[in-house]
Amino acid sequence: MHRLSPTRLAQQLGDGDVDLAIATPDAGQAHLRTRHLFEESYILIGRPGHPRIAEGATAAGFGRLEQVIVSPSGGVFSTPVDVTLEALGHSRVTVASAASFLVVPSIVGSSDLVALVPRRLMRDRLAEVAWIDVPWLPERFQVELIWHERTHGHRGQQWIRDLIHDLVAR
């Protein structure tokens, strides 16, 4: 396992530093091979008993909540969600960024921060957090297996890609 660098994914795959990625594809990397795994949406999470999480059901209320965002490349405090908010005439209060969605439940669980996280990530952990659907946010995103042409015909790679696809399809 390696930390994925979204801005260097094509290079990492081409150099053999990374053999296979599970990520949202970047249109600028159309030369990479992909296999669709699933479509995903976000939910808003906070600590159990969070007093204001319900405000996130509207764009205006969401914008007033202090939030953690995920920035795999570090330090980026704007995502496609911010574009959607801006189009609706709002912005949000981002106070922290995390490198991965995997650490976000721990961060919000011990604070009054909230965060948008993939629904699928939390499906077995919903009892650990307060959560709501975000009806004003229609954004859905694709999650795919991504690999380089150099490994496309490799039998071991084909096996692991099929295995991952089948596991996710359950």
Side-chain angles (χ1 to χ4, degrees):
M1 298 289 264
H2 289 282
R3 180 174 170 181
L4 182 66
S5 173
T7 58
R8 296 187 50 242
L9 178 60
Q11 180 182 348
Q12 287 178 308
L13 288 165
D15 291 347
D17 295 333
V18 172
D19 292 317
L20 185 64
I22 299 174
T24 299
D26 181 341
Q29 299 172 340
H31 62 286
L32 297 174
R33 295 282 190 143
T34 63
R35 184 172 183 185
H36 179 75
L37 292 176
F38 55 88
E39 184 176 77
E40 183 62 286
S41 62
Y42 290 111
I43 59 172
L44 184 66
I45 65 167
R47 67 172 169 79
H50 192 289
R52 297 180 52 215
I53 194 166
E55 293 177 31
T58 68
F62 175 84
R64 290 188 296 268
L65 297 169
E66 291 185 329
Q67 300 176 37
V68 177
I69 66 163
V70 172
S71 174
S73 54
V76 177
F77 285 87
S78 181
T79 72
V81 171
D82 295 288
V83 174
T84 301
L85 273 173
E86 188 175 311
L88 296 170
H90 304 286
S91 61
R92 65 175 162 172
V93 181
T94 303
V95 298
S97 71
S100 167
F101 283 112
L102 297 176
V103 299
V104 170
S106 295
I107 294 169
V108 302
S110 60
S111 70
D112 277 338
L113 301 177
V114 298
L116 288 173
V117 296
R119 178 181 304 275
R120 191 178 186 98
L121 175 71
M122 295 302 298
R123 90 173 144 200
D124 294 332
R125 300 180 62 191
L126 290 176
E128 299 172 23
V129 296
W131 67 277
I132 63 166
D133 286 314
V134 190
W136 59 267
L137 182 63
E139 181 177 330
R140 298 183 68 78
F141 56 96
Q142 306 305 312
V143 176
E144 302 193 9
L145 283 171
I146 305 171
W147 65 96
H148 193 273
E149 182 65 35
R150 70 178 176 75
T151 60
H152 182 63
H154 188 278
R155 293 181 62 83
Q157 267 270 343
Q158 291 170 342
W159 174 81
I160 195 72
R161 291 191 305 259
D162 288 344
L163 178 66
I164 292 169
H165 180 267
D166 293 348
L167 286 171
V168 170
R170 291 183 187 175

